[in-house]
Amino acid sequence: MQLVEVFVPPGQRVLYDAIAGNPERSQQIWMLDGVMEIHVGDQHWHLTAGDCLAMPLDQTIAYVN
């Protein structure tokens, strides 16, 4: 397990490609502050401070602040 704190500046979008070959890998987001849109494939969520989201890494993920 890795624990990483990431700051995404307002108005920025970060894209991560799907990880091929290991469908069991996953990621969990815990919003400490602010708001963010998370897009995983065709699904999307609006997270605010205190929200948590777990997702597999088998699809493209977009983080939009």
Side-chain angles (χ1 to χ4, degrees):
M1 176 191 320
Q2 283 185 312
L3 181 61
V4 178
E5 183 175 358
V6 178
F7 175 78
V8 179
Q12 296 299 305
R13 178 183 182 111
V14 178
L15 295 174
Y16 284 96
D17 291 329
I19 295 178
N22 192 346
E24 296 179 14
R25 292 194 67 183
S26 62
Q27 180 175 64
Q28 187 165 343
I29 304 294
W30 179 19
M31 289 294 297
L32 300 177
D33 190 24
V35 298
M36 183 172 290
E37 295 288 331
I38 309 290
H39 301 265
V40 181
D42 293 333
Q43 298 179 320
H44 64 276
W45 295 269
H46 178 85
L47 303 182
T48 60
D51 288 342
C52 189
L53 175 67
M55 66 197 111
L57 296 176
D58 61 350
Q59 299 181 61
T60 299
I61 300 173
Y63 304 91
V64 183
N65 187 4

